[in-house]
Structure formats: C-alpha cells, structure tokens
Amino acid sequence: MSVMDFMRETALEAGALALREQGRLEPGRIHSKASVKDVVTDADLMVEKLVVEGIRDRFPEHDILGEETGASRKGGEYCWAVDPIDGTASYARGTPFFSVSIALMRNGESVAGAVFAPRLDELFLAERGAGAFLNGKKVSVSTRDDLRLAMLGTGFGSFRGGDDDDCLRRFARVVPEVSEVRRCGSAALELAYVACGRYEGFWETGLKLYDVAAGVVLVTEAGGRVSDLLGGGDFPAKGTVASNGLLHDRLLERMTTERPG
Ligand code: IPD
C-alpha cells in the first residue's frame, strides 16, 4: 500500500470513528487540558490511538507527533503529525466543523497530508508534486485578487493562554477591509478551504504543528502560499498566514499590530 493509500484509508477510518463517537458524547467524556478553554474528549484519544497504531504497524521506523500523546522521536528523516480531531471544541458541541488531520513530514517539511471532515463527507488529500484533491477531484486556490472581495478564515487559538491584544488588533485591521471573515473552529479545515478556493486566505496565531502540517501541503499543492506573520517560514511558531498567493503580501501588511505614534 502506498503512503497516499495508507493516508486515505486511515483518515476515512479515523473519521468514521470520530463520527460514531460524536453521537455518544456526554459531559463525562469531555475533559479540560491546560485550561478550561482547551478541551479533549474520549473520542480524541480513541481516534489518535487508531491512527498512531496504524502508523506504527506500517512505518515502525518513523517518528510520530500526536496532539494527545505527544512526540515519539527516533530522530529519523520522517515524522507524522496527527491531530485526531481538529476542532475539538466544535466537535464537543455537536457541530459538523471538525476534521481528522494527518501529515507526513520529511526533515521538518510537510510532504503529504490528509484532512477529512466526516460529517461533511469531504476528504482533502495532497502529496508534494502531485497536486491537491477534494474527494478525488483536483482543486486549486481561488483566483480572486481583490482584497475587498476576499473571504478569509481565522481562529483565536492564542486566547487559550490568556488575553491577546495583538490578536484582536489584527482582527480589527482585517475585518473592515475584506468581504467576510469566517471562524469554523478547525484550522486544518480552514486551510483546506483555502486550498480548494472557498476562502482566499486564513491566518491564526497560537497554532501547533499538528494543527497545520496537513493543511500546509494542501495549500501549497493547490497553488497557494503559506508563511509566518512576517512572510518567513517559521510557522506555526510565529503565526500562520495562508492564501491563494495573489493576496498574500496584502494580508501580511495587515498582520503587523504596531500602532502609529
Ligand atoms: C484547534 C483548532 C482551532 C484553533 C485552535 C486549535 P484542536 O485545534 O484548530 O481552529 O483555533 O487554536 O487548537 O485543539 O481542536 O485540535
């Protein structure tokens, strides 16, 4: 089985499990992590176990970074970044906006990714050099180049650690200049929406590698661009900005939160 076949099958299986478990979620199966704003459900743990066991069986020599189980590092060339349920807060409230996100990284760079939203029945897959696909159909980023017509996604992950005035200032700068800003609650899914042209762009700070690793390869393979807030490659540590490429620099200009005077 090829890496992409493995990814597809694992994402579908993991998504099906997440879907079944969403119907059975009750308060006792939802827990807080570092803060009350940061939740994990029993389903996150079950889905991560399924994915991690699959990787260990098939690629025993590869490293794994899982949102819930942490890193197992053998110091190799390949590492899998797994977010079993990206958008756990939305998932726990019964919304359809969550996804399973699985990425394969080589020497720190994403080379293949799967983002599956089981309630929406949408599987996004990308492999470096081979393009990005939604349910088997090739997708590409939007061709809109007018910021005033842009629909963007964002998130407020940086608030989990407390207040974040910069995040609010950035939001206040962007909102009046674009057509719409959406917040669906799954960064992986919002990156996938940039890849397939539904959104022109996305930005967020406070994300972790497992949130973005699959989405990044989707966006770049669909013809878009991903950077940190300053336009460099240090994402997600220094923020994540993704776009159709055409609007990237204009988005970056709005990421600075310095106030005049
Ligand atoms: C979260 C989602 C959300 C983002 C948060 C992430 P999780 O991931 O991607 O959209 O705003 O910052 O932590 O915790 O549900 O896997």
Side-chain angles (χ1 to χ4, degrees):
M1 192 192 284
S2 72
V3 167
M4 292 319 289
D5 286 343
F6 169 78
M7 260 195 180
R8 179 186 303 105
E9 283 188 18
T10 307
L12 291 174
E13 209 184 319
L17 175 60
L19 199 54
R20 278 199 305 279
E21 292 300 315
Q22 194 183 28
R24 303 177 26 192
L25 267 188
E26 22 182 88
R29 304 184 73 215
I30 305 170
H31 320 277
S32 294
K33 293 203 278 188
S35 80
V36 284
K37 289 188 181 187
D38 198 2
V39 290
V40 60
T41 70
D42 288 355
D44 291 76
L45 305 172
M46 293 164 73
V47 175
E48 183 154 319
K49 186 164 181 279
L50 182 151
V51 177
V52 166
E53 283 179 359
I55 297 169
R56 283 206 182 115
D57 273 2
R58 178 73 178 72
F59 305 100
E61 70 287 6
H62 289 183
D63 292 341
I64 304 174
L65 168 68
E67 174 172 18
E68 312 305 339
T69 46
S72 78
R73 293 208 192 283
K74 303 185 178 85
E77 192 179 357
Y78 289 99
C79 178
W80 293 79
V82 179
D83 193 337
I85 298 178
D86 184 59
T88 302
S90 302
Y91 175 82
R93 299 295 186 111
T95 90
F97 298 108
F98 62 90
S99 59
V100 174
S101 174
I102 304 172
L104 177 62
M105 310 189 66
R106 186 176 183 201
N107 297 324
E109 281 192 28
S110 298
V111 291
V115 173
F116 180 44
R119 282 271 296 276
L120 306 166
D121 198 20
E122 291 193 322
L123 173 65
F124 297 86
L125 274 178
E127 184 181 10
R128 191 186 273 180
F133 299 84
L134 164 54
N135 290 346
K137 223 172 131 187
K138 198 158 187 171
V139 291
S140 36
V141 292
S142 127
T143 53
R144 269 198 194 94
D145 62 357
D146 185 341
L147 194 61
R148 293 167 308 172
L149 302 180
M151 177 176 278
L152 306 179
T154 191
F156 304 99
S158 54
F159 275 89
R160 287 186 177 173
D163 296 342
D164 184 348
D165 290 344
D166 282 351
C167 174
L168 293 182
R169 278 197 282 274
R170 230 171 265 127
F171 190 68
R173 287 189 70 161
V174 175
V175 173
E177 298 204 43
V178 301
S179 168
E180 298 282 349
V181 176
R182 290 286 180 268
R183 157 70 170 153
C184 87
S186 165
L189 204 50
E190 306 206 82
L191 288 166
Y193 285 2
V194 175
C196 71
R198 291 177 185 161
Y199 291 177
E200 275 67 45
F202 166 83
W203 85 96
E204 185 167 349
T205 51
L207 291 171
K208 300 285 191 290
L209 189 57
Y210 43 75
D211 295 312
V212 302
V216 162
V217 66
L218 283 167
V219 173
T220 52
E221 281 303 314
R225 184 174 156 197
V226 184
S227 74
D228 60 37
L229 256 47
L230 297 171
D234 200 2
F235 53 84
K238 293 188 177 156
T240 305
V241 181
S243 78
N244 61 0
L246 301 170
L247 293 174
H248 207 86
D249 290 339
R250 272 170 281 166
L251 255 182
L252 289 179
E253 282 163 20
R254 280 135 188 104
M255 293 296 122
T256 165
T257 57
E258 277 161 33
R259 280 175 296 181

